[in-house]
Amino acid sequence: APSHFLPQSKPEVKPPTLNIKQPPNQGKRKRRRQNAAIVPAGGAIMDVDEEHTNAVEKNSDASSRLMDSADHVFFAGDLNYRIELPRERTKHTIRQIEQLKQQETNHVTTHPEELEEQIVNLFQELLKFDQLHRVMYAAGSNKDVSNAFPGFREGKINFLPTFKFDKRSKEYDTSHKQRIPSWTDRILYKSRYDRGSSDSSDNGRSSGIISVLDYRSIPDAVHSDHRPVIGTYRIDF
């Protein structure tokens, strides 16, 4: 995922970007959460290839040094978190969003603010059941939910789920597996100079140090069963 760094006065800044592919499938939430709690915290880098039956610790000291030495960290990849809703309900909400966005594009409304509010509300209906949001923001309110990616934030999601599509198509999975559309592809960020708390109420737009200038998917990139996600960020010093 491309990122643009605009340093103003601190050329020695160290903003590493980490990439990972988490285990797939709707039911692997616990495994994904375990990996997510270890890696960003500076612990061992985990082998998360689903073909391995056990996660394997590798380069623990190197991982810890990397996280300790970083001013800012960007964590990007196919994190494989899913939407925990029935497929038909998820697709129905997506169709509603698409219809409203089409009206917005064609200016078929005399109340654009109301239209935008409807779109935001529909996104929130899906995001309430997004596994990543639940494990990032629900810790503390639910003893059964462990915190994943502690201290990390994410830009506001106003793009449709990025997985799973039929290849070379804009149709969500029509195979016999009928996978539930989900935001599997994400970019998270964290700054050691962060002055605020990480929660879902600020929509992830700014950490005080890192500002999200752009966070979106590329819906016309139909060569894969995923849609790529890109982010542009400003780091203030």
Side-chain angles (χ1 to χ4, degrees), residues 37-68:
I38 294 172
V39 182
I45 296 174
M46 306 298 290
D47 183 344
V48 295
D49 189 329
E50 66 169 333
E51 294 180 359
H52 291 71
T53 56
N54 296 303
V56 181
E57 292 189 356
K58 305 190 287 189
N59 304 323
S60 178
D61 291 342
S63 172
S64 184
R65 286 197 300 272
L66 169 65
M67 300 302 294
D68 290 343

Side-chain angles (χ1 to χ4, degrees), residues 203-217:
N203 290 321
R205 297 300 297 175
S206 173
S207 68
I209 300 297
I210 301 174
S211 298
V212 183
L213 304 182
D214 187 27
Y215 188 45
R216 57 192 167 94
S217 68

Side-chain angles (χ1 to χ4, degrees), residues 108-134:
V108 187
T109 179
T110 56
H111 303 284
E113 298 84 4
E114 293 181 9
L115 186 63
E116 180 60 30
E117 184 179 357
Q118 291 179 53
I119 293 172
V120 169
N121 289 339
L122 287 169
F123 270 112
Q124 289 304 313
E125 282 300 308
L126 292 180
L127 286 166
K128 283 191 302 186
F129 297 94
D130 172 63
Q131 291 177 343
L132 181 56
H133 271 216
R134 285 185 163 187

Side-chain angles (χ1 to χ4, degrees), residues 76-143:
D78 176 6
L79 303 188
N80 254 318
Y81 287 97
R82 308 304 173 97
I83 293 175
E84 294 187 315
L85 282 174
R87 173 183 167 83
E88 284 309 311
R89 180 176 169 185
T90 303
K91 289 195 67 178
H92 176 70
T93 305
I94 290 172
R95 284 193 294 268
Q96 288 180 297
I97 293 172
E98 289 174 329
Q99 291 168 0
L100 291 175
K101 279 182 169 286
Q102 191 63 47
Q103 292 180 34
E104 188 176 51
T105 300
N106 295 336
H107 306 289
V108 187
T109 179
T110 56
H111 303 284
E113 298 84 4
E114 293 181 9
L115 186 63
E116 180 60 30
E117 184 179 357
Q118 291 179 53
I119 293 172
V120 169
N121 289 339
L122 287 169
F123 270 112
Q124 289 304 313
E125 282 300 308
L126 292 180
L127 286 166
K128 283 191 302 186
F129 297 94
D130 172 63
Q131 291 177 343
L132 181 56
H133 271 216
R134 285 185 163 187
V135 296
M136 283 181 70
Y137 304 127
S141 62
N142 185 342
K143 66 180 180 180

